[in-house]
Amino acid sequence: MKINVKSEPVRLKDVAEAAGVSSCTASRALNGVMLNKVSEETRQRIIKIADSMGYRPNIMARGLAKKRTNLIGVLVPEIRTSFLPQTMEGIWSAAENANMAVLLYVTDWSAQKEEKYLRQLVEWQVDGIIWVPNSTDNINLFIEVEQYLPVIQLFMPVPELHSSKVILDNEKGGYLATQHLINLGHKKIAHFTAINGHFASSGKERLQGYLRALRKAKLPVDNNLIVDSGFTTKGGRKAFQQVAKYQPTAVFACSDMVAWGCIQEAKLNGKSVPDELAVVGFDNLDIANLVVPSLTTIEQPQRQFGELAVTKLLEALDNEIYEEVVLEPRLIKRQSS
């Protein structure tokens, strides 16, 4: 008796590669969306190639009912630290007001878990997904999903997706923090940045704000004072150790946790904050008002992120309205500067 072994299904990515186009272009051609961005000749060629390869829309299309389930899927990389708990409070509150339920999945920064949970959310037939990207490893899958339901991005925009985005003006935040220190008379300002690893795009934007403020004040950029700390307290301590010999009078840290690590290490080295070293953080976490001295920081409206994400998801469902919302950072002055 011969057993037929089912081969792997043809993926959208396979069709795109065979046609020599991006997955985004292949998806538009095969799903009949945004055809103003795909020529008719290219569209017909992609369709012919897809047919010859036996491509069929995967589970993303199957069973996606037109009726609402009143379920919102949320994919986040972590929930234990940082500002995400308050963002989730905003999501839950806004969802409850809209009589919707939330299915939360935490990926632990794993692309494999992210793919698994994304497929599960689609099987649950959620009305839409709120996503905090941790990488673009699954971007082709998200492109497919977006053809059938909105994928609202938080914090880090992914250009390939066209649903709404709710992000922060990180560059302006970096500028405000550095300008504050310059206005206090500081000329030798270190910056502890995060340009590698998780949320690196946010760190890079904050660095650009720091550099803009220095240029505007006609202050020199000293690369010895720019250290990649990541977003951790440990990174802040190590960064201070690295710049201490250059004797900065102020530090702009890319996060409150980094700022707190900097303050701890500065105290161990006999530096008084803010008398000998002014410190500014970023995020306005609860810790900023609890540490001694209390931390001057850049506030990002954490709860508002979640509330707006739900609002934009509902707008996409009801009226197919998609937009990028950029929230404004705010300087919170406290004792550390």
Side-chain angles (χ1 to χ4, degrees):
M1 179 179 178
K2 186 176 180 180
I3 299 175
N4 292 321
V5 180
K6 186 178 180 180
S7 61
E8 287 294 317
V10 178
R11 301 168 299 171
L12 178 69
K13 180 181 178 181
D14 302 323
V15 175
E17 289 178 353
V21 298
S22 68
S23 294
C24 189
T25 297
S27 179
R28 289 168 181 163
L30 295 172
N31 292 290
V33 297
M34 300 183 72
L35 292 180
N36 60 314
K37 295 182 178 292
V38 184
S39 70
E40 182 60 24
E41 180 182 354
T42 300
R43 177 174 175 267
Q44 291 300 329
R45 182 170 61 85
I46 293 171
I47 291 173
K48 185 175 180 180
I49 291 172
D51 287 343
S52 68
M53 296 176 68
Y55 172 77
R56 295 293 180 271
N58 65 8
I59 62 168
M60 302 310 157
R62 191 190 68 214
L64 283 172
K66 295 297 183 182
K67 294 181 180 179
R68 298 278 183 88
T69 60
N70 291 327
L71 290 175
I72 297 175
V74 179
L75 279 170
V76 299
E78 55 95 9
I79 200 69
R80 294 177 295 275
T81 60
S82 74
F83 47 82
L84 284 173
Q86 291 190 41
T87 300
M88 283 306 308
E89 287 180 6
I91 291 174
W92 281 316
S93 176
E96 183 179 13
N97 290 337
N99 295 316
M100 302 185 80
V102 175
L103 296 176
L104 171 64
Y105 283 92
V106 181
T107 66
D108 292 322
W109 303 102
S110 165
Q112 290 75 23
K113 285 186 178 180
E114 184 178 70
E115 178 183 355
K116 174 186 174 182
Y117 296 153
L118 176 59
R119 292 181 180 276
Q120 288 180 2
L121 287 173
V122 172
E123 290 285 2
W124 276 100
Q125 298 184 16
V126 295
D127 291 331
I129 294 173
I130 296 172
W131 177 40
V132 178
N134 64 325
S135 73
T136 56
D137 291 344
N138 294 311
I139 188 58
N140 290 324
L141 194 56
F142 278 101
I143 289 172
E144 283 194 72
V145 172
E146 192 184 41
Q147 307 309 313
Y148 306 103
L149 50 86
V151 179
I152 310 301
Q153 301 157 69
L154 279 183
F155 305 115
M156 289 169 294
V158 179
E160 291 87 347
L161 297 184
H162 300 284
S163 293
S164 294
K165 306 167 178 64
V166 184
I167 61 177
L168 182 78
D169 191 340
N170 283 290
E171 195 274 347
K172 184 176 181 179
Y175 177 82
L176 290 175
T178 311
Q179 184 185 50
H180 167 67
L181 293 169
I182 292 171
N183 289 342
L184 292 175
H186 295 283
K187 299 183 183 301
K188 205 168 186 180
I189 304 169
H191 178 42
F192 299 167
T193 184
I195 54 176
N196 294 293
H198 304 315
F199 295 132
S201 61
S202 297
K204 291 175 182 177
E205 291 166 3
R206 294 169 195 182
L207 170 60
Q208 291 305 311
Y210 162 82
L211 295 173
R212 178 162 70 94
L214 292 183
R215 288 194 297 268
K216 184 176 179 181
K218 295 183 170 53
L219 292 176
V221 176
D222 185 348
N223 290 326
N224 292 316
L225 298 179
I226 302 174
V227 179
D228 191 348
S229 62
F231 285 108
T232 66
T233 303
K234 182 178 180 181
R237 300 187 74 144
K238 287 185 175 181
F240 178 80
Q241 294 170 5
Q242 190 169 333
V243 303
K245 61 185 175 182
Y246 300 108
Q247 298 184 327
T249 63
V251 171
F252 161 42
C254 63
S255 78
D256 289 347
M257 301 307 295
V258 171
W260 175 226
C262 170
I263 290 173
Q264 289 178 310
E265 195 64 27
K267 288 180 177 179
L268 288 176
N269 284 267
K271 288 283 187 182
S272 173
V273 178
D275 296 335
E276 296 175 282
L277 183 74
V279 180
V280 177
F282 204 111
D283 290 332
N284 196 30
L285 302 180
D286 290 341
I287 190 177
N289 212 23
L290 299 175
V291 300
V292 179
S294 59
L295 184 63
T296 297
T297 186
I298 299 297
E299 179 184 63
Q300 51 176 324
Q302 301 150 27
R303 186 183 178 95
Q304 189 181 3
F305 271 109
E307 293 170 345
L308 274 173
V310 174
T311 298
K312 294 304 160 187
L313 190 150
L314 294 174
E315 288 179 357
L317 289 172
D318 293 336
N319 303 304
E320 296 188 5
I321 296 175
Y322 305 100
E323 63 178 337
E324 180 176 284
V325 180
V326 182
L327 298 181
E328 290 289 312
R330 185 166 67 103
L331 175 69
I332 306 295
K333 297 180 184 179
R334 295 195 181 98
Q335 296 170 346
S336 66
S337 66

